[in-house]
Amino acid sequence: WLRGNVLTGFPWNVWAHAFADSALLSQPVAFLGLYGLTFLVAFAFCALAGFADGTRGGRRVAVVAIGLLLVAEGAGAARMGLAPDIAPQDVALRLVQPSIPQEEKWLPENRSKVFSTYLEMSKAPWRDEAGSGDSGGLPRIVVWPESAIPFLLTETPDALAAIAALLGPRDTLVTGAVRADTEEGGRVFYNSVYAIGGDGEIRDAYDKVRLVPFGEYLPLESWLERLGLTKIVPLPGVFRAGFRAR
């Protein structure tokens, strides 16, 4: 709880994440909250040691833990069963993830090369489920990772034109990029995600609200910098948190 609230507001490696891959066991977070589910995980996993201590009390605690897990799974199944049916929308999805070292990504002389790498990887032929040479006529979404574009996209019309040339009329690019804004005291930067249509127009943008401490910003910056501490990730400047979550 302290790691998730004091200074950072970023919940690092909460034990409840152990259930993240289970749709059923992760449902109780809706009732218990993240830290309530963390308590359940800690109790259940630790209580299983009661089978090994050779005492009746230890075995009872272990049985209770197993029972709580079964109740949690049952509650998850019930909640998912009550969820409204939503017709799925089929799309063709492409995830692009090149291997670019952080220390090289933000060098000014590498900006064009990095951007070209994403464009070239995104141009690979599409394949439908039958293996034919197209996406089966489905809307296509191309996804680039967080902070993929190492320059200000809104101030680089040539980059938006290149993206428009990459996409078809029904395609969308979802990409991470730095967004700049101007305030009275100067320019501020946000770690954002853009949705760009096939015409190269930015359809929407979202500014990241929960920033990574020591990566995207330095907590207690004025004090820690005097001690020689800096951000782990060599980004240009410091990000500001967005104003609202979506």
Side-chain angles (χ1 to χ4, degrees):
W1 182 88
L2 291 175
R3 286 184 301 180
N5 291 274
V6 177
L7 295 180
T8 69
F10 199 86
W12 294 95
N13 297 326
V14 179
W15 285 15
H17 294 161
F19 286 166
D21 284 341
S22 171
L24 296 180
L25 288 174
S26 62
Q27 293 302 311
V29 76
F31 315 110
L32 304 177
L34 184 66
Y35 297 108
L37 187 59
T38 290
F39 176 81
L40 174 61
V41 171
F43 174 75
F45 290 176
C46 294
L48 293 178
F51 284 127
D53 73 355
T55 65
R56 180 178 299 177
R59 290 192 294 271
R60 287 177 176 172
V61 172
V63 170
V64 170
I66 294 175
L68 288 176
L69 288 178
L70 294 175
V71 169
E73 186 170 9
R79 185 170 188 268
M80 293 181 67
L82 294 174
D85 292 330
I86 299 177
Q89 180 180 358
D90 291 332
V91 298
L93 187 65
R94 167 166 290 166
L95 308 181
V96 179
Q97 179 65 71
S99 178
I100 302 175
Q102 284 286 345
E103 61 272 16
E104 297 180 9
K105 174 180 178 179
W106 296 103
L107 295 176
E109 61 269 24
N110 289 342
R111 291 175 180 172
S112 178
K113 179 181 177 181
V114 169
F115 184 63
S116 296
T117 298
Y118 281 103
L119 291 176
E120 291 302 318
M121 293 181 67
S122 302
K123 290 178 182 178
W126 290 80
R127 295 287 185 268
D128 63 10
E129 293 182 354
S132 64
D134 57 34
S135 57
L138 297 174
R140 302 187 299 192
I141 299 177
V142 180
V143 181
W144 294 356
E146 183 179 14
S147 301
I149 301 176
F151 50 80
L152 295 177
L153 186 60
T154 54
E155 298 180 7
T156 315
D158 290 346
L160 288 172
I163 291 172
L166 167 71
L167 302 175
R170 300 177 63 200
D171 298 345
T172 301
L173 171 66
V174 178
T175 179
V178 178
R179 188 181 75 83
D181 200 1
T182 301
E183 294 187 351
E184 184 176 346
R187 303 193 84 186
V188 294
F189 300 92
Y190 298 91
N191 191 3
S192 305
V193 58
Y194 286 102
I196 304 173
D199 55 1
E201 294 289 331
I202 296 175
R203 302 290 173 80
D204 205 353
Y206 171 69
D207 302 325
K208 187 175 181 181
V209 173
R210 288 187 177 268
L211 300 179
V212 180
F214 302 100
E216 294 167 321
Y217 77 101
L218 188 65
L220 303 176
E221 182 176 6
S222 59
W223 292 358
L224 295 182
E225 282 187 341
R226 295 174 187 173
L227 300 177
L229 296 180
T230 59
K231 301 191 308 297
I232 297 173
V233 181
L235 296 173
V238 177
F239 286 126
R240 174 177 291 185
F243 295 102
R244 63 192 180 98
R246 291 186 184 177

